[in-house]
Structure formats: C-alpha cells, structure tokens
Amino acid sequence: MRKNILFSTALINVFFFVAGCSMFQSNPDANQIISDYQKAIDPGNKTSAIKSYIATFEIYNNDEKIPAKLEITAEVPNKIRFEYTSKDKVSIRAWNGKTGWEYTNESGDRILSGRELDELRFQAGYLAPNMTPQTFFRKIILDGSAKVFDEDCWKLTMVPKPEYKSQDITAYISKKTKFIVKSEQYLDSADKAVLIETLFKDYEKNHGFMLPYTLISELEGNISESKMIDIQWNVPVDDQLFMLPQSISN
C-alpha cells in the first residue's frame, strides 16, 4: 500500500497545479508564479469542465522488470478510488464522500480512520482537476529560488487549511517553462510522517492542457517511476466502485 500512496501523493501535485487560479492577494509574487503556471499548462481553462476521470499508470518500483498497475477512478469533487495491482499484491483504497475504506489481498477489508482517513479525504478533493487552491490551502509562500538539477526554479510552500490535517507541500516551478519540476511533502501514514520527493517529466498535451506523463518518486529509499498510459475524462463511473464492501458495511 505504501507504493500506492507514494504515487497518488505525487499525482496530487499534478492536478492541483493544472487547476491553478489567481491566488491570495497577500502574496502577489506567489500569485504571479501560479498565474504564469496556469497560463502555460491550461490556457483554455479546459479543466473547469471535468466531472470524472479514469487514469491508468504503469509503475516500476526499484529494479523490478514487470510494472505494477495503478488505476485511479474519480467523481469530482469528493469520490475517489485507487486500485494498485502487482504480481503478488492487490490493494484498493476508496472514499465515497462519507467513509474511507481499504482492501488488500493480505489483510482483507477495513474502514480507515485517523491520519489515513484525513489523507484520503484530502486527496479526493485535491485530485479534482477543477478545484481551486483556496479550497485546500490557507496560504502559499514564495520561499525564493532553488536549482533542481540544472533548472532554475521558484520555490513555493503551500500550507493546507487546518481542517484537512495534512502536511505542507513544497513545489519547485521552472522559471523557464513555468512547469512544476519537483515537489516535496511529508506524508501522513498510519504511524508517522515520511518524506516523499517527486520529479515531473515528459509533459504532453492531453484534453487541451499539459500533463507530465512520467513521475519519479522516492520514499524511504524506494524509487518508483510511474508512466501514464491512459486517461479518460468525463466518462460514466459506477457508484458501486466507491461503496463499502459488504464485509464491513454493517
């Protein structure tokens, strides 16, 4: 499940920035950086019309030759399902707007609570491409400049609202391309917070806006390379995918 969480947290940063909008007037410098990014990524505001999506990724973990598969199914703004399948593991996490749950082939079904539920609830809204930063963050701070490899970047710190009980996110945005190239976040798991670092590569146009098709993430020494192989927008989604399994529904 850790690898599933690693990837879904990386993807959060993609959809948040695609959704971009005018930010908080108290920080016009950060506001301009986000505005420039939004214009570069989604000049036609295509994300505002998205109501659902199904995204499929191949994930290569460390030196594994056979990729795992992750499918993310979402109804905007508050239903989401992550289904991760590898050669020996299946795990599912879902939030239906009221309850979060998990299934693994190792442990069966369980209802989520505490930090895990807070993180999943945050992801459900945060991964909605048409949501705005004001929904989730109480402030965004420009922390100067930094280099990511040879790329000159702006460094932004995004502070979530208290009700989401989530950790700050640091984003590095290229001064040249205006695209996000790296993010850092301490991720809340069941027992502790761990740092995940993600690189964003291979931007291509999809549905009228730009998306990075390759994500390279590191979490506690584990390196994961994720490649998007398919994404469908505004498709019918079966509500049963988000419902509690019968074994824990009573």
Side-chain angles (χ1 to χ4, degrees):
M1 192 64 210
R2 175 61 59 83
K3 293 171 183 175
N4 179 346
I5 295 172
L6 183 154
F7 175 74
S8 61
T9 303
L11 189 65
I12 277 175
N13 297 286
V14 178
F15 283 158
F16 164 73
F17 281 102
V18 168
C21 64
S22 77
M23 292 300 300
F24 311 109
Q25 295 304 314
S26 59
N27 195 338
D29 292 331
N31 178 74
Q32 188 61 54
I33 293 166
I34 295 295
S35 178
D36 290 344
Y37 180 92
Q38 192 271 337
K39 291 174 184 176
I41 291 292
D42 184 21
N45 196 29
K46 299 290 188 180
T47 55
S48 62
I50 292 173
K51 304 300 180 186
S52 66
Y53 64 87
I54 300 174
T56 306
F57 300 82
E58 288 184 344
I59 304 176
Y60 293 84
N61 297 302
N62 293 323
D63 296 326
E64 294 177 3
K65 294 189 177 1
I66 299 175
K69 177 183 175 182
L70 177 67
E71 185 171 275
I72 303 176
T73 303
E75 283 187 350
V76 176
N78 61 0
K79 293 182 181 179
I80 198 161
R81 174 187 169 108
F82 301 94
E83 184 167 350
Y84 178 91
T85 307
S86 66
K87 63 181 180 179
D88 56 2
K89 186 169 185 176
V90 176
S91 64
I92 299 171
R93 278 196 173 191
W95 165 254
N96 59 25
K98 295 181 179 178
T99 308
W101 57 272
E102 177 186 85
Y103 163 81
T104 71
N105 60 326
E106 299 169 340
S107 306
D109 301 317
R110 68 187 180 100
I111 294 178
L112 299 176
S113 61
R115 284 182 171 183
E116 291 178 298
L117 180 61
D118 290 336
E119 200 69 48
L120 183 61
R121 182 172 62 90
F122 185 56
Q123 289 173 353
Y126 192 20
L127 277 171
N130 59 0
M131 299 298 283
T132 64
Q134 290 95 327
T135 306
F136 306 103
F137 297 98
R138 65 183 179 88
K139 61 181 176 179
I140 294 183
I141 304 165
L142 174 58
D143 285 333
S145 300
K147 273 192 177 289
V148 177
F149 298 106
D150 292 328
E151 191 93 15
D152 289 319
C153 298
W154 296 113
K155 181 181 178 182
L156 299 177
T157 298
M158 302 175 288
V159 183
K161 291 181 178 179
E163 57 263 35
Y164 290 105
K165 301 177 182 178
S166 188
Q167 301 284 343
D168 294 356
I169 297 172
T170 302
Y172 298 84
I173 297 179
S174 168
K175 294 181 180 181
K176 180 179 179 180
T177 67
K178 316 301 183 186
F179 295 169
I180 182 172
V181 297
K182 181 183 178 182
S183 71
E184 300 169 344
Q185 183 185 13
Y186 279 91
L187 174 66
D188 287 326
S189 61
D191 54 351
K192 62 179 180 178
V194 291
L195 177 64
I196 173 173
E197 297 180 90
T198 302
L199 299 176
F200 301 83
K201 303 176 68 177
D202 301 330
Y203 278 85
E204 296 182 23
K205 183 172 286 188
N206 185 300
H207 201 70
F209 52 87
M210 302 294 289
L211 286 175
Y213 273 63
T214 301
L215 308 176
I216 300 174
S217 301
E218 183 173 357
L219 176 68
E220 295 187 319
N222 295 309
I223 297 175
S224 172
E225 181 171 342
S226 307
K227 293 186 177 293
M228 183 164 62
I229 59 174
D230 184 57
I231 188 162
Q232 302 173 61
W233 306 102
N234 293 329
V235 292
V237 174
D238 185 353
D239 236 22
Q240 289 297 315
L241 291 172
F242 309 104
M243 302 307 292
L244 286 171
Q246 191 172 9
S247 63
I248 55 175
S249 61
N250 297 323

